[in-house]
Amino acid sequence: MANPDVLAGSEGPLYAARKGVYPKKVDGTFRRLKWVIMAVTLAIYYGTPWIRWDRGPYAPDQAVLVDLANRRFYMFQIEIWPHEFYYVAGLLIMAGIGLFLVTSAVGRAWCGYACPQTVWTDLFQHVDRLVDGDRNAQIRLANGPWTAEKIARRAAKYAIYLAIAFWTGGAWIMYFADAPTLTRDFWAGDAAFIAYGTVAALTATTFVLGGFMREQVCIYMCPWPRIQTAMMDEKSLLVTYKDWRGEPRGSLKKALAHPGSVGDCVDCNQCVAVCPTGIDIREGPQIGCITCALCIDACDTVMAQVGRPRGLIDYCALDDVAVEKAGGTAPPVLKTLLRPRLMVYLGIWSAIGAAMLFSLGERTRLDLAVQHERSPLFVQLSDGMIRNNYTLKLRNMETRPRKVAITVSGLPGAQLWTENGSREKASQRVLMTISPDSVTRVRLFVAAPSEGPARQDFTIATIGRDGDPRGDEDTIQFDRPEAQ
């Protein structure tokens, strides 16, 4: 019987067991850059919910808050209401175009530096070194028998994993409620069930994905490596092994004994040892490369030790590869980056950002919606005037009470009053105060002379009377009886 694990005509099984990856500690420009980005991103994630922002007595003081209960999104001075979700859509579009821009410029740099999977995996790998030692010590421990020392080290390491994972899940829920209050409720057992469930789910996923699956997420689970190929071109900067300079490989001893017979690569495998996904960059571009450039740091260190020029592994575009192979000099990196395609991406990204900023600055925080009451359609008053009834929804999107005037235009001789007023006190405008950060319903009565068309369009408007005259208006219909 044929082996079901082998495809017909193939040379290998459908499934291969994971080989452990134990990245070696390395120092260099790109490793230090990863340290900085990891520290900044983790500080933002864990610390942002605890930042306070004074919005006055009528709004929460958490700087960034997704208030699902009240359907609000706060980000420092910006407050987004449900009907303004297009701002969130705009941010998502900017994020997508930003990914296109970064990928077209420097390949999978997002994956190598700022992707959450990369950041938490990097953090967990530092825990590995802290508890088990560097690469060789980790390999010896993994391959060794289960001694008391190994059990103790595994228990300590997994406990640290679990603490980080729990902290990660706990930080996430802080974005959806007041952080100090939720923390007290959480530990007192008074938080909502969804809070405990969310923390448990995120703790488990962080523990498994960051602690154990690691590079498998990047290679097998994430769709981005497969999408990115459509965004890169011959001018995209990629981590590249310059085989025309490094091949044939040979040790330093062989190079000294036979000058000119071997390339610059001394076959030390340091580029493989430091790679967080365990690939060999010398085999060429591959899906496992996340463009973290740690292999560049490792190779530059070796080249410095053996007295050869750096850059055997370096960021290089395919067009530049052809130039250097022919013996030419590649153009400066800045010139490669300042090309039309990237400028178009940058222009679109900047235009969307500028439009959103302009819209945020110009938007009115007083919104009006008017509904004509249909039963009855109109009422004829004792003095012969015709009354129509309307329901107004006044949305005050500021964190302070607003004094407003309700007026009408396009309806000559109209008089207004609300259900809290009276016909005797009717006038051409109604003054009122709207509660902060809320929607106020007002029943408005409009009376107008009986002379006129049976259906007449007019405008109801709200005008601010507290220093900001901006408001809103809505065009609605006024009904009269048909002329006999």
Side-chain angles (χ1 to χ4, degrees), residues 165-166 169-170 173 186 193-207:
F166 177 77
I173 65 172
F186 187 92
F193 173 77
I194 189 65
Y196 296 103
T198 302
V199 171
L202 292 178
T203 298
T205 53
T206 305
F207 183 77

Side-chain angles (χ1 to χ4, degrees), residues 252-291:
L252 185 60
K253 183 177 180 180
K254 184 177 180 181
L256 294 174
H258 305 283
S261 63
V262 294
D264 283 350
C265 180
V266 297
D267 208 16
C268 63
N269 281 331
Q270 291 302 300
C271 55
V272 180
V274 302
C275 180
T277 61
I279 68 164
D280 187 345
I281 191 63
R282 295 172 297 179
E283 296 176 359
Q286 49 203 289
I287 200 169
C289 179
I290 60 173
T291 320

Side-chain angles (χ1 to χ4, degrees), residues 367-372 391-393 407-409 457-462 471-477:
D367 194 32
L368 171 67
V370 181
Q371 182 178 4
H372 192 177
T391 299
L392 276 58
K393 292 182 181 179
T407 63
V408 298
S409 59
D457 290 337
F458 73 105
T459 300
I460 299 178
T462 57
D472 196 12
E473 63 182 30
D474 197 358
T475 299
I476 198 71
Q477 184 174 280

Side-chain angles (χ1 to χ4, degrees), residues 4 33 69 74 80 95 243 260 307 320 351 364 378 387 416 465:
L33 178 60
Y74 299 93
I80 302 298
D243 58 322
D320 298 341
T364 60
F378 56 84
R387 189 192 77 194
L416 317 176
R465 299 180 60 252

Side-chain angles (χ1 to χ4, degrees), residues 55 62-65 73-80 91:
R55 299 185 182 91
Q62 187 161 307
V64 178
L65 177 64
F73 172 49
Y74 299 93
M75 180 178 287
F76 297 95
Q77 196 60 33
I78 299 173
E79 178 184 355
I80 302 298
L91 287 176

Side-chain angles (χ1 to χ4, degrees), residues 185-452:
D185 292 345
F186 187 92
W187 290 108
D190 298 328
F193 173 77
I194 189 65
Y196 296 103
T198 302
V199 171
L202 292 178
T203 298
T205 53
T206 305
F207 183 77
V208 173
L209 298 182
F212 300 95
M213 297 189 69
R214 297 186 178 178
E215 78 287 346
Q216 292 179 306
V217 175
C218 303
I219 297 174
Y220 302 112
M221 295 175 61
C222 181
W224 185 242
R226 293 152 182 85
I227 298 173
Q228 66 164 350
T229 54
M231 302 177 198
M232 294 189 295
D233 57 24
E234 294 79 3
K235 296 185 181 298
S236 300
L237 294 172
L238 306 175
V239 174
T240 304
Y241 168 65
K242 300 178 180 180
D243 58 322
W244 63 93
R245 175 183 154 188
E247 302 295 328
R249 305 172 198 172
S251 65
L252 185 60
K253 183 177 180 180
K254 184 177 180 181
L256 294 174
H258 305 283
S261 63
V262 294
D264 283 350
C265 180
V266 297
D267 208 16
C268 63
N269 281 331
Q270 291 302 300
C271 55
V272 180
V274 302
C275 180
T277 61
I279 68 164
D280 187 345
I281 191 63
R282 295 172 297 179
E283 296 176 359
Q286 49 203 289
I287 200 169
C289 179
I290 60 173
T291 320
C292 65
L294 295 183
C295 54
I296 296 178
D297 286 337
C299 188
D300 285 350
T301 299
V302 173
M303 290 296 102
Q305 291 171 350
V306 300
R308 294 176 182 174
R310 68 160 304 276
L312 178 60
I313 302 175
D314 207 354
Y315 275 104
C316 191
L318 292 179
D319 280 354
D320 298 341
V321 167
V323 171
E324 292 193 18
K325 275 187 176 181
T329 301
V333 171
L334 185 60
K335 184 177 180 180
T336 302
L337 294 176
L338 297 178
R339 63 183 192 274
R341 181 179 180 180
L342 297 187
M343 294 301 101
V344 170
Y345 282 148
L346 182 60
I348 296 173
W349 185 87
S350 302
I352 294 173
M356 290 178 60
L357 288 175
F358 178 80
S359 177
L360 282 170
E362 291 298 314
R363 63 178 178 166
T364 60
R365 310 307 290 147
L366 192 61
D367 194 32
L368 171 67
V370 181
Q371 182 178 4
H372 192 177
E373 296 183 7
R374 314 304 295 179
S375 181
L377 194 61
F378 56 84
V379 174
Q380 187 164 18
L381 303 178
S382 59
D383 60 359
M385 296 188 75
I386 305 300
R387 189 192 77 194
N388 283 203
N389 306 337
Y390 302 90
T391 299
L392 276 58
K393 292 182 181 179
L394 297 166
R395 183 186 289 115
N396 178 13
M397 292 178 279
E398 293 195 29
T399 57
R400 62 186 177 98
R402 294 293 309 274
K403 294 180 179 180
V404 300
I406 301 174
T407 63
V408 298
S409 59
L411 190 64
Q415 295 182 336
L416 317 176
W417 71 97
T418 67
E419 57 188 343
N420 296 324
S422 64
R423 174 74 173 85
E424 292 73 20
K425 295 182 179 180
S427 64
Q428 293 183 343
R429 65 176 183 172
V430 173
L431 305 179
M432 62 183 305
T433 300
I434 307 176
S435 301
D437 204 34
S438 63
V439 177
T440 301
R441 291 176 177 266
V442 178
R443 196 176 186 206
L444 182 70
F445 303 107
V446 180
S450 58
E451 297 81 11

